Amino acid sequence: MEQPQRTFLYDQHVALGARMVDFAGWLLPVQYEGILAEHKHCRAEAVIFDTCHMGQFLITGPDAAAKLAGALTQDTVKLPVGRGKYGFILNDAGGVIDDTIIMRLADDEFLLVVNATTAAGDLKALQARLGGETQITVQASWGKLDIQGPRSFDVLQGLVETDLSQMRYFGCCRTRAGGVDCILSRTGYTGELGYEIFMPGQKLAELTRTILANPLVKPAGLGSRDSLRLEMGYPLYGHELSDEINPVEAGLGFFFDIERNFHGADALRKFTAAVTPTAQVANLCHHRQLVALLSDQRRRFNTGDAILCDGQVVGEVTSGVFSPSLERVVGMGYVQPGKSAAGQELAVQTARAELPVVVSETPMYPDGTCRMKLHEM
Amino acid sequence: MVPKDLLYTSEHEWVKVENSVATVGITNHAQNALGDIVFVDLPDVDKEFAKGDEAIALESAKAAASIYAPVTGKITEVNNDLDDDPALVNNDCYAGGWMFKISINDEADLAGLMDAGTYEDFLKSQD
């Protein structure tokens, strides 16, 4: 095993007493004060997450928009400058190589944000698909900080040289933060109003100190990041998504136009044609649907636990966590078609008990502020 | 500092012995290592355990743990306050966060438990 890498913020985590773990080859904090407190502070005020481990690819060139539109599910030709979009890099079979956000910074300049574990494979796929005219620069000397929570606007506005009240959900721009050139987006993984700041690593460490000096802000770790995303029903690569799962099964087909031509689209069209209601019956074993699972208990179920309906196995849990906001366990999992409608009663077989769960609409936590309209405030 | 009047297991449980009944909880070291406790699966009263059996499944926001019966005996009482407020284990581990009481069939079962000084040395040896 290789030694895990340290992010630009490692020294601060240690100084703040964080518990560190190896996550995707990086030493990252699981928690500082405690997972529940950090989770609740994100829902009520503002927290920061070190997301320096994530990959940043700057993609430039006159053909970048057209090339990316063929390489990703996102239609980068139609994406306006100053906007970001969530989507996927698919393999030939339509499986998810990675889930990503692409941001258009200029007509011929994009930032692609990718997961840490998948970054090397993403780069390889993109190099093969984009061709020589389009440059891919891995911004390895840059870090990323996520500030999330309803008060994140108040924390950040005084530090950045752009009017945040004019920035909509999934807006992005080049600006300055703490006097340093950066890329800023109104995005996140918690369901709350929030921003992601991309800048050179050493400068990001300085900005992090400034932000943490604000009494509204607490540092938060991977523990609360997971419970926050699961309350929203957001997928995590490696749990809900993999190269053997396509985004239609994952219920994420609404993020793109399946009739458009992009890498993997043919396979997705064949897949959806094959699972018309009649064919579903014959294809039962091969088709699955991602659902959100809501328990009425505090007792946890775990990744890999079987999902039952009337005693028969109909699926498998992909994530489970105690929800600090709802005070019960929530999770996600894949189930057979016919068992995926909201309100469907199921059970999860854990090592020690059979726990009743119900299929839920997402988000399971309904009061997130991520789409808050700031210009009307 | 750990309370002087308790006995301790190598699994970081504390045991208070009164009138042939053992009250059991987890130590400050254990609650701190587990983080926020979110669920305590309490045993039924009158259930019998042999020394070393898993008596409780404990879940924190990031981990699961087992609490073992420190002696052979029968459950006489459980702390039902933990159903609604499992955080008592974090906030008051040596008092309000107690978990169960078990009758002591044979006082000899207590022989392997550590006193406070020995447990403190044990904690240091774990660092």
Side-chain angles (χ1 to χ4, degrees):
Chain A
M1 275 291 283
E2 278 182 42
Q3 284 290 320
Q5 300 184 74
R6 296 178 174 188
T7 73
F8 302 108
L9 308 182
Y10 174 83
D11 292 344
Q12 292 186 54
H13 301 318
V14 173
L16 288 163
R19 291 195 192 159
M20 307 297 287
V21 289
D22 180 353
F23 177 82
W26 293 83
L27 279 172
L28 286 165
V30 178
Q31 65 167 64
Y32 303 80
E33 176 188 354
I35 293 171
L36 301 191
E38 291 160 29
H39 181 112
K40 288 175 180 172
H41 201 75
C42 178
R43 294 272 182 246
E45 308 277 355
V47 299
I48 54 168
F49 296 100
D50 177 355
T51 50
C52 290
H53 60 296
M54 294 180 74
Q56 305 177 27
F57 301 162
L58 200 63
I59 298 163
T60 56
D63 290 341
K67 293 281 192 177
L68 279 169
L72 310 174
T73 64
Q74 294 101 316
D75 189 349
T76 41
V77 171
K78 285 190 180 159
L79 186 68
V81 173
R83 297 291 302 162
K85 192 160 172 53
Y86 177 79
F88 310 94
I89 307 173
L90 301 181
N91 60 28
D92 295 346
V96 178
I97 295 174
D98 203 0
D99 64 333
T100 68
I101 292 178
I102 187 87
M103 300 184 200
R104 191 166 203 171
L105 302 170
D107 279 334
D108 57 357
E109 183 187 44
F110 293 84
L111 177 68
L112 185 70
V113 187
V114 304
N115 286 300
T117 42
T118 43
D122 296 344
L123 184 61
K124 206 172 151 190
L126 289 174
Q127 281 167 337
R129 294 177 195 184
L130 297 183
E133 292 288 297
T134 305
Q135 294 289 316
I136 308 172
T137 308
V138 180
Q139 294 197 133
S141 65
W142 281 40
K144 177 162 86 77
L145 187 75
D146 294 10
I147 177 164
Q148 300 279 299
R151 303 299 296 277
S152 53
F153 169 88
D154 305 310
V155 173
L156 209 54
Q157 181 61 85
L159 295 172
V160 296
E161 297 174 20
T162 189
D163 181 357
L164 291 181
S165 72
Q166 298 303 308
M167 186 181 264
R168 288 186 294 143
Y169 192 39
F170 273 82
C172 63
C173 65
R174 281 194 183 273
T175 180
R176 290 161 71 83
V180 180
D181 287 330
C182 70
I183 296 168
L184 180 70
S185 63
R186 185 179 156 182
T187 47
Y189 196 42
T190 62
E192 298 300 333
L193 174 66
Y195 303 88
E196 299 183 42
I197 306 161
F198 307 75
M199 73 164 58
Q202 297 310 319
K203 297 290 183 187
L204 187 72
E206 289 170 30
L207 181 71
T208 302
R209 283 193 183 85
T210 305
I211 291 174
L212 275 177
N214 187 320
L216 287 172
V217 182
K218 285 183 179 182
L222 293 170
S224 57
R225 194 169 165 81
D226 196 48
S227 53
L228 287 158
R229 70 100 187 169
L230 270 170
E231 285 183 352
M232 299 306 293
Y234 295 157
L236 173 63
Y237 197 87
H239 283 252
E240 284 72 38
L241 298 173
S242 81
D243 58 6
E244 291 177 353
I245 294 171
N246 74 52
V248 176
E249 298 170 292
L252 301 167
F254 63 91
F255 277 107
F256 53 85
D257 174 8
I258 198 170
E259 299 307 321
R260 204 175 66 76
N261 282 319
F262 53 84
H263 199 111
D266 281 344
L268 291 186
R269 285 189 287 263
K270 280 186 192 133
F271 175 83
T272 49
V275 291
T276 54
T278 331
Q280 268 184 13
V281 179
N283 270 331
L284 213 61
C285 305
H286 304 292
H287 186 43
R288 57 198 162 179
Q289 198 70 47
L290 185 63
V291 293
L293 302 169
L294 201 53
S295 166
D296 60 359
Q297 299 180 26
R298 290 172 156 262
R299 193 195 299 252
R300 181 157 50 213
F301 52 79
N302 290 301
T303 304
D305 287 345
I307 301 173
L308 311 178
C309 184
D310 299 328
Q312 300 293 307
V313 175
V314 296
E316 189 174 309
V317 171
T318 50
S319 294
V321 76
F322 177 75
S323 157
S325 305
L326 306 173
E327 296 194 322
R328 46 189 164 153
V329 166
V330 301
M332 299 181 82
Y334 280 93
V335 297
Q336 292 173 1
K339 307 296 181 198
S340 64
Q344 170 74 47
E345 291 179 3
L346 300 168
V348 174
Q349 183 67 57
T350 72
R352 44 182 84 251
E354 193 178 306
L355 307 175
V357 293
V358 62
V359 173
S360 171
E361 306 268 12
T362 57
M364 288 179 274
Y365 173 77
D367 299 324
T369 53
C370 59
R371 291 183 170 79
M372 182 191 284
K373 288 186 170 63
L374 293 165
H375 54 276
E376 288 171 4
M377 286 173 77
Chain B
M1 290 293 284
V2 303
K4 296 286 177 216
D5 58 332
L6 305 177
L7 298 171
Y8 299 89
T9 73
S10 57
E11 305 289 337
H12 304 285
E13 293 134 4
W14 58 259
V15 179
K16 184 177 188 176
V17 178
E18 287 171 312
N19 305 325
S20 293
V21 172
T23 305
V24 181
I26 64 170
T27 67
N28 187 55
H29 173 87
Q31 72 78 19
N32 186 48
L34 284 166
D36 297 311
I37 306 295
V38 297
F39 180 66
V40 183
D41 192 6
L42 295 167
D44 294 331
V45 171
D46 289 339
K47 189 163 180 189
E48 293 184 28
F49 289 101
K51 178 177 178 164
D53 283 354
E54 183 193 66
I56 283 187
L58 200 63
E59 291 177 7
S60 77
K62 64 176 179 181
S66 297
I67 309 300
Y68 303 96
V71 296
T72 296
K74 189 191 276 190
I75 300 293
T76 61
E77 196 178 343
V78 297
N79 184 0
N80 289 312
D81 291 348
L82 301 179
D83 287 342
D84 294 327
D85 191 9
L88 280 170
V89 178
N90 295 111
N91 302 333
D92 195 14
C93 67
Y94 293 117
W98 70 276
M99 294 180 180
F100 62 89
K101 298 187 183 194
I102 185 168
S103 62
I104 303 170
N105 287 4
D106 183 353
E107 300 275 343
D109 282 353
L110 301 171
L113 302 180
M114 292 177 262
D115 63 18
T118 310
Y119 179 62
E120 282 186 336
D121 290 342
F122 174 71
L123 283 179
K124 280 176 201 147
S125 75
Q126 301 244 301
D127 285 342

